[in-house]
């Protein structure tokens, strides 16, 4: 009887160990620059980074600046999927938005078919700042887990 209970506890512990969640972030950047001059992409990092390697702790006694090298932080292995800009020379182009939706849906379906679950979607906009700015992006982060 003790062996059965011990085996059940071991299997239960193994189940908890195997159920640790893993997250992956994919980002879409869609240009809202007038006249179609911007760049729009889906970006998917193909390498992992440990944030702890680039983190410093600031205290009252030690406020040494974080001197992490940008070249070490930079990810050089990533997928870049071209998207269409929201605007062209004639203004907003709804066909481009529909095309981007189709590509993003394809990416999400591919991630789901590979065992990932879409857990969160977070969006933000940096819009044109007024006359002469000509800058703007619509960024969306798709956070997957498995």
């Amino acid at each position: 009887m003790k062996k059965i209970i011990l085996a059940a506890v071991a299997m239960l512990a193994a189940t908890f160990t195997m159920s640790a969640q893993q997250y992956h972030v994919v980002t879409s950047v869609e240009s809202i620059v007038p006249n179609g001059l911007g760049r729009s992409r889906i970006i998917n990092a193909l390498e992992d980074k440990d944030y702890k390697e680039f983190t410093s702790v600031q205290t009252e006694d030690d406020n040494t600046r974080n001197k992490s090298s940008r070249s070490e932080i930079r990810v050089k292995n990533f997928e870049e999927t071209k998207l269409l800009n929201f605007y062209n020379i004639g203004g907003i182009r709804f066909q481009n938005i529909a095309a981007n939706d189709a590509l993003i849906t394809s990416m999400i379906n591919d991630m789901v078919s590979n065992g990932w679950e879409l857990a969160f979607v977070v969006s933000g906009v940096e819009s044109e700042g007024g006359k002469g700015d000509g800058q703007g992006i619509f960024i969306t982060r798709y956070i997957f887990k498995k």
Side-chain angles (χ1 to χ4, degrees):
M1 181 69 170
K2 288 181 183 179
K3 288 181 182 179
I4 294 173
I5 292 174
L6 185 60
V9 169
M11 289 190 327
L12 185 62
T15 302
F16 284 123
T17 303
M18 292 187 309
S19 67
Q21 291 186 338
Q22 181 181 7
Y23 290 88
H24 185 75
V25 177
V26 177
T27 301
S28 66
V29 179
E30 296 174 276
S31 172
I32 54 175
V33 175
N35 300 322
L37 297 175
R39 296 187 314 159
S40 299
R41 303 284 190 271
I42 298 172
I43 304 298
N44 182 14
L46 298 177
E47 62 185 75
D48 294 327
K49 294 283 184 175
D50 183 354
Y51 80 96
K52 293 176 187 174
E53 293 179 26
F54 310 104
T55 302
S56 64
V57 177
Q58 304 288 318
T59 66
E60 188 174 325
D61 298 328
D62 181 9
N63 61 355
T64 307
R65 188 173 79 81
N66 185 330
K67 296 183 180 176
S68 297
S69 169
R70 291 175 189 260
S71 64
E72 291 177 13
I73 297 171
R74 192 165 284 121
V75 171
K76 295 186 173 105
N77 299 310
F78 62 94
E79 291 177 334
E80 180 180 287
T81 304
K82 185 170 183 167
L83 295 174
L84 300 175
N85 297 332
F86 282 171
Y87 290 95
N88 67 9
I89 197 87
I92 193 163
R93 180 125 173 129
F94 296 107
Q95 289 174 329
N96 291 3
I97 295 170
N100 290 356
D101 287 352
L103 290 171
I104 291 168
T105 300
S106 173
M107 178 271 304
I108 291 170
N109 287 337
D110 183 59
M111 294 290 291
V112 169
S113 72
N114 285 305
W116 293 94
E117 174 189 345
L118 182 60
F120 307 101
V121 178
V122 183
S123 298
V125 175
E126 193 290 304
S127 61
E128 185 172 350
K131 187 175 182 176
D133 180 10
Q135 302 294 316
I137 61 169
F138 185 79
I139 186 169
T140 305
R141 292 229 159 93
Y142 306 89
I143 303 169
F144 295 89
K145 70 177 181 177
K146 71 172 168 178

